[in-house]
Amino acid sequence: MLIKEAVEKRILELCQERNIAVNTLANIAGIPPSTVYSMLNDKSQNPGIVSLKKICDGLDISIRDFFDTDIFDNLEQEIR
């Protein structure tokens, strides 16, 4: 799995855990829904760390908590 796919999976996992929609996540994070949706589809191959931090702030978790999951353990090599 590539990092982009792992970030997408983690965002969706956190939304599911909290029983919130992607639009709700965007609202509580203070970012446009289009930004979150671009992170969840092929439109953006490089989710910005600032947007991820805002998502974490909205969910009241740290960046460390965001990445502290098995999803990020066995990522594929990005350099080809």
Side-chain angles (χ1 to χ4, degrees), residues 13-47:
E13 177 182 83
L14 289 166
C15 284
Q16 186 175 33
E17 284 176 8
R18 289 161 172 74
N19 198 29
I20 59 172
V22 173
N23 280 349
T24 303
L25 173 62
N27 289 335
I28 63 174
I31 56 179
S34 60
T35 299
V36 179
Y37 282 111
S38 72
M39 296 169 84
L40 299 177
N41 62 35
D42 293 334
K43 194 172 188 179
S44 171
Q45 289 301 310
N46 188 10

Side-chain angles (χ1 to χ4, degrees), residues 16-76:
Q16 186 175 33
E17 284 176 8
R18 289 161 172 74
N19 198 29
I20 59 172
V22 173
N23 280 349
T24 303
L25 173 62
N27 289 335
I28 63 174
I31 56 179
S34 60
T35 299
V36 179
Y37 282 111
S38 72
M39 296 169 84
L40 299 177
N41 62 35
D42 293 334
K43 194 172 188 179
S44 171
Q45 289 301 310
N46 188 10
I49 192 68
V50 173
S51 295
L52 280 177
K53 174 67 169 106
K54 288 179 180 182
I55 287 172
C56 291
D57 290 347
L59 295 172
D60 199 30
I61 64 172
S62 69
I63 287 282
R64 181 183 303 260
D65 290 335
F66 182 87
F67 288 107
D68 189 20
T69 178
D70 294 344
I71 294 171
F72 297 100
D73 284 349
N74 296 305
L75 298 175
E76 293 177 38

